[in-house]
Amino acid sequence: MTDWARKIRDGDARLLARAATAVENRDPRGAELLRDLAPFAGHARIVGITGPPGAGKSTLVDGLALALRQQGKTVAILAVDPSSRATGGAILGDRIRMQQHHADAGIFIRSMATRGSLGGLARATRDLARLMDGAGRDYVLIETVGVGQDEVAIAGLAQVTVVVLVPGMGDDVQAIKAGIMEIADVFAINKADQAGADRVERELQAMLSLSGGIAPAIVRTIATAGAGIAELLAAIDRAFEKPAVRRTVAPSLDHLGIAVRALDPAIAFYQALGLTVEHRESIAAEKVNVAMLPAGDSRIELLEPSTPDSPIAKFLEKRGPGLHHVALRVPDLNAAVERLAAAGARLLNAPREGAAGHTYVFVHPASAGGVLLELIQSEDWH
Ligand code: ZN
């Protein structure tokens, strides 16, 4: 373990802030740190808090953080605003919040605005949550602004999600998108002292009675007065005690593997396009040299044979340079393998661990529409 990782484990808040910046910027030292801290992951409770703008989420999150601090728990707040740029309001509000909690090293706050793609933002949020988990924070609160698909994707990184509603939201509950209703483990009706709180709760209950399944808790809060915060925290903690209901998450594109005769000219081409090499390594067991270049939430994987008898050398001989495989990240690799095997797909290996610690399986092109398919277990820090 590096000195950096050790100091962060010892609770050095200043180093943690620097580490968060390295992770956000995809600095190689950040990636190294995440690997060092990975053995400690799985401790934190990751809570998503989402809801429409103006629902008072920030005040609610601050209230939760203070209540947790009174219990002696450490907290990280990741405030994510997919709609705003780095120069926008999110950062300004964040500065005020940071000053408020400045004296308390037990509360870490980082706010993130869109910097290009949503995929990049979701990845940065996930990596920061893993960092905070590995650093030993007891709770990671991921606050997202808005009610669109983007926010659902980010809130979906959490283990327990709180959806915040307020009275007078136009058509009230109907105004909230279906997707966000589905991810809720707890509903907070904030500004519950305002007219219309009863109506919101009635609509919510009517809607939940139709949906079946485990009914999420409904808690009334007045964040500005600190009312209902203890009850909300208790409801969140109860949601963690429920048997884990694994949500089915659709597979996503992890990378495209491209076989090339030589890495350097291929890298030069993609660099000219504006991509950068995140990672280069030689995998002796597979007789291949690899360069990974992130592209949004996916990556391009360039593969160069390292020996004449490498499988990539054989591929080049037969087919010439080109697309070698497509890699999908799946939420539950074993379940996917079982389903595919039952459907008669040709799997080329049992799930095994690759060089970067990923578990993966290859599916024969004959079963996958003519392309070699790699399935990777989604990184899981829950
Ligand atoms: Zn691959």
Side-chain angles (χ1 to χ4, degrees), residues 255 301 325 327 374:
H255 64 265
E301 180 184 52
H325 65 271
E374 180 183 4

Side-chain angles (χ1 to χ4, degrees), residues 231-252:
E231 290 80 358
L232 178 58
L233 188 53
I236 290 169
D237 282 334
R238 271 198 307 278
F240 274 96
E241 307 311 333
K242 280 183 193 165
V245 185
R246 258 208 117 78
R247 295 192 186 94
T248 41
V249 182
S252 59

Side-chain angles (χ1 to χ4, degrees), residues 254-257 292 301 303 324-327 362 374 376:
D254 187 86
H255 64 265
L256 299 174
M292 277 289 189
E301 180 184 52
L303 305 152
H324 176 264
H325 65 271
V326 169
F362 275 103
E374 180 183 4
I376 302 173

Side-chain angles (χ1 to χ4, degrees), residues 256-270 280 287-293 300-307 310-317 319-325:
L256 299 174
I258 301 174
V260 299
R261 294 195 203 282
L263 279 184
D264 288 327
I267 287 172
F269 169 81
Y270 285 103
R280 252 184 111 140
K287 300 171 180 170
V288 64
N289 300 322
V290 174
M292 277 289 189
L293 297 91
I300 303 257
E301 180 184 52
L302 299 173
L303 305 152
E304 171 197 70
S306 60
T307 64
S310 152
I312 296 299
K314 285 178 194 148
F315 179 89
L316 290 170
E317 229 168 79
R319 315 263 298 258
L323 185 66
H324 176 264
H325 65 271

Side-chain angles (χ1 to χ4, degrees), residues 338-381:
E338 264 172 45
R339 279 197 305 274
L340 290 177
R346 274 179 70 187
L347 300 163
L348 294 176
N349 61 280
R352 67 176 179 224
E353 199 155 304
H358 291 104
T359 312
Y360 67 96
V361 143
F362 275 103
V363 183
H364 195 278
S367 302
V371 70
L372 180 62
L373 184 66
E374 180 183 4
L375 298 177
I376 302 173
Q377 171 66 57
S378 172
E379 287 166 49
D380 200 342
W381 34 269

